[in-house]
Amino acid sequence: MAEGIASVRHRDLTRAQLSSLRDLFDREYRSSHGEWDPDRPYGYSPADVHVIATDAGRVIGHVGFQTRWIRIGRGNILIAGVGGVLVHPEHRSRGLGRQLMEACHERMLGETDARFGYLGCRGEVVSFYQSAGWSRVEVVERCISREDQTTVEISTNTPVLIRPVHAKLGDWPEGDVDLRGTPW
């Protein structure tokens, strides 16, 4: 189990934390996505805040978020985009992912003005996020491509989940979503 969960601003990560995060992500994704870059992780938007679980000084779990104004319908809303959710294989199925997601939500509550947390994911992990308090919403999502940073992608089938931060679930606005950047 984790010896502790802490949150760290991106700019305050130590060399040791960066190295350990790189090891965690490269173990999982290097063969399919190349080397992890903390400032542009696999083409996704980087985290402003990292919530990390450690064991024996090594990072064994991570969730990151970045606050950003996005457009939904005709209005703008401040959200905390969540990404980089990963638990070391030896520490999975023990509730650590849920603990990290809850710690991330607490950090959003305490240090952001975000109305909602926002994340996109693969269909096979939707139930995990729902069990951690997130709700699926059906949206048409527009974002900048992770691949070339110039192409606009429009998605209608990607699972999107939200969690109220400084709002109620019923306050989620109607309309298409423009992330105004790359996804998280």
Side-chain angles (χ1 to χ4, degrees):
M1 202 55 172
E3 62 189 26
I5 295 176
S7 57
V8 182
R9 291 213 165 275
H10 184 73
R11 67 178 177 266
D12 296 330
L13 287 168
T14 66
R15 286 179 193 237
Q17 288 168 325
L18 280 168
S19 178
S20 194
L21 281 166
R22 182 171 285 108
D23 290 346
L24 177 71
F25 281 96
D26 281 350
R27 174 188 176 94
E28 188 79 16
Y29 298 116
R30 186 175 186 140
S31 65
S32 60
H33 292 83
E35 191 173 309
W36 181 75
D37 176 350
D39 297 314
R40 196 173 176 280
Y42 311 116
Y44 290 100
S45 293
D48 292 332
V49 175
H50 302 268
V51 179
I52 56 176
T54 56
D55 182 46
R58 184 177 118 224
V59 175
I60 59 168
H62 174 270
V63 176
F65 72 87
Q66 177 195 75
T67 55
R68 180 191 306 164
W69 286 95
I70 66 171
R71 177 173 295 283
I72 303 179
R74 294 184 177 185
N76 298 312
I77 186 169
L78 185 64
I79 56 97
V82 173
V85 180
L86 182 60
V87 172
H88 189 283
E90 294 172 7
H91 297 272
R92 292 180 185 160
S93 300
R94 300 179 188 174
L96 182 57
R98 222 176 334 271
Q99 290 175 352
L100 284 164
M101 292 301 292
E102 190 57 36
C104 181
H105 185 254
E106 289 173 16
R107 179 75 184 248
M108 288 179 212
L109 279 167
E111 297 194 24
T112 75
D113 292 326
R115 308 264 301 144
F116 292 92
Y118 184 100
L119 66 86
C121 66
R122 300 179 321 274
E124 59 267 20
V125 293
V126 167
S127 62
F128 161 74
Y129 291 114
Q130 289 174 324
S131 75
W134 292 70
S135 299
R136 187 167 180 176
V137 292
E138 297 297 324
V139 299
V140 173
E141 182 184 77
R142 177 183 171 161
C143 65
I144 302 295
S145 170
R146 297 181 308 108
E147 305 300 320
D148 65 21
Q149 305 289 296
T150 58
T151 305
V152 173
E153 295 181 349
I154 298 175
S155 173
T156 57
N157 298 321
T158 302
V160 170
L161 292 99
I162 60 169
R163 183 164 181 192
V165 178
H166 296 288
K168 295 181 292 218
L169 192 55
D171 293 340
W172 180 254
E174 298 269 334
D176 293 353
V177 172
D178 184 347
L179 295 182
R180 293 184 170 156
T182 54
W184 298 273

